[in-house]
Amino acid sequence: MFEINDLRVFIRIADLKSVSAAAKSLGAPKSSVSRAMARLENMAGAALVERSSRHLRLTDAGHLLYPQALQILERVEVAMSTMVDHAGVPSGVLRINAPSAFSRCIIAPMLPSFLKRYPSILVEIVATDERINMLSGEFDITLRIGAMADSLLVARRIRSTELWTCASPRYLSECGTPLTLKDLLSHNLIGRADRLVSWFAGDTASDKLATDTLGRVKTLDSDIVEKILIHDGGIGLLPDYLAKPAVARGELVHLFSERAPLRAEVYAVYADHHSLSTKVRVFIDALLRSIEDLDSADVDT
């Protein structure tokens, strides 16, 4: 007879397309993951994955099982959350996924007080700038910056982040300070690896001249962009929670600060459960309070 955890193993293998990667992600021996798949396939009476030396893919039976497995795991999660809610004490493991810079600058500072207030909650946070499949059930909540497209997910707006155009004083001294948008085209621009970059906001033709300019260096990680800029590598966009401290320290200069800033919305994203678990709800509330305190401190200074 298969176990409910076997479905989690199957989902992870399907998402990662590798038994070894799934075992590493789950923190389980590869042999245990293989046995879980064997139990499921024995129960199904059919192979769920096709394995070769180079890749792994779902069979027709695996494709049929995948969405059903997601629904079963979601219902189990809802049932467990309901029991926790009934007890009235937030508890259990809270699995968070968030961009690296946001995790470091926003989430990490508020975690000590959050954990002190809710001693029965354990936190697992994975900081990555890659988009993940929220429907896989790997995380309870993820923080995303930018437009949302997943209709099966709930997205709650957390804050609006300004994107600052920055460069180091030395870079500007050596390469010149851009005074117009046309000037940017002759500079080393740091771009995004997953999309084109819009450098400025506005409604006129001059505001849009450098829109979607491709960067010479591309990355998903804002922390990497910050380090490149501080070490005189060019001009790039940084979220305000990274840019403001660097500008205050004199490591970076805020360019075109007189213009209306670009903005990106930050969302807390979770699966469309019928009842949001207490641990996720109290984390979102604590995160909102922490961000409000940070924004208020910025206004005061």
Side-chain angles (χ1 to χ4, degrees):
M1 186 67 178
F2 81 96
E3 303 171 6
I4 193 66
N5 197 53
D6 295 346
L7 292 177
R8 294 190 177 92
V9 169
F10 168 69
I11 291 296
R12 196 65 55 87
I13 289 175
D15 288 341
L16 298 179
K17 296 180 174 57
S18 166
V19 173
S20 297
K24 183 177 180 180
S25 173
L26 292 165
K30 184 178 177 182
S31 58
S32 298
V33 170
S34 296
R35 285 196 296 271
M37 279 300 301
R39 284 193 295 268
L40 269 183
E41 290 181 328
N42 182 60
M43 186 73 178
L48 300 175
V49 296
E50 291 180 352
R51 304 170 180 85
S52 73
S53 59
R54 300 186 62 182
H55 66 273
L56 180 151
R57 64 182 181 181
L58 295 180
T59 63
D60 289 344
H63 281 294
L64 288 173
L65 177 61
Y66 185 86
Q68 300 297 326
L70 286 176
Q71 289 184 15
I72 291 170
L73 290 176
E74 179 181 344
R75 289 170 184 168
V76 170
E77 182 70 20
V78 170
M80 296 302 295
S81 297
T82 300
M83 288 191 292
V84 171
D85 287 348
H86 181 71
V89 178
S91 63
V93 179
L94 176 62
R95 298 159 297 177
I96 304 168
N97 171 268
S100 299
F102 191 88
S103 299
R104 178 171 63 85
C105 297
I106 305 296
I107 297 179
M110 55 84 66
L111 277 182
S113 60
F114 174 78
L115 293 173
K116 184 176 181 180
R117 182 172 183 178
Y118 301 105
S120 296
I121 292 180
L122 303 176
V123 171
E124 293 179 3
I125 181 167
V126 174
T128 175
D129 291 81
E130 295 184 4
R131 292 295 180 97
I132 56 98
N133 178 14
M134 274 295 295
L135 296 176
S136 69
E138 182 176 358
F139 297 101
D140 298 298
I141 184 172
T142 189
L143 282 300
R144 286 187 180 176
I145 301 176
M148 290 297 306
D150 297 312
S151 60
L152 296 179
L153 301 175
V154 175
R156 179 174 175 181
R157 181 182 173 279
I158 296 297
R159 85 185 292 253
S160 179
T161 295
E162 292 184 1
L163 301 177
W164 289 16
T165 304
C166 295
S168 71
R170 176 181 289 183
Y171 174 85
L172 296 175
S173 175
E174 293 177 353
C175 301
T177 300
L179 301 177
T180 68
L181 303 191
K182 278 187 178 181
D183 294 342
L184 276 179
L185 299 177
S186 62
H187 283 271
N188 297 332
L189 301 179
I190 313 303
R192 291 280 303 184
D194 58 344
R195 63 179 181 270
L196 298 178
V197 176
S198 297
W199 291 88
F200 298 95
D203 298 321
T204 67
S206 62
D207 288 323
K208 298 181 180 179
L209 181 62
T211 296
D212 294 342
T213 300
L214 289 170
R216 292 189 61 197
V217 177
K218 300 177 185 179
T219 179
L220 292 172
D221 193 332
S222 295
D223 276 326
I224 293 177
V225 175
E226 181 197 31
K227 294 299 183 291
I228 292 173
L229 299 184
I230 288 175
H231 288 84
D232 317 316
I235 297 175
L237 291 174
L238 288 175
D240 53 13
Y241 50 82
L242 268 182
K244 287 179 181 178
V247 169
R249 294 190 300 265
E251 295 175 328
L252 294 176
V253 175
H254 184 190
L255 301 173
F256 304 102
S257 58
E258 73 281 0
R259 291 180 177 268
L262 286 167
R263 292 183 178 274
E265 302 304 312
V266 181
Y267 295 95
V269 185
Y270 45 91
D272 187 12
H273 292 165
H274 296 294
S275 59
L276 183 62
S277 68
T278 303
K279 62 186 178 183
V280 173
R281 184 163 53 247
V282 296
F283 173 76
I284 292 175
D285 291 343
L287 181 60
L288 287 170
R289 287 194 300 270
S290 177
I291 289 174
E292 184 177 351
D293 291 342
L294 289 172
D295 291 341
S296 297
D298 286 338
V299 171
D300 293 339
T301 55

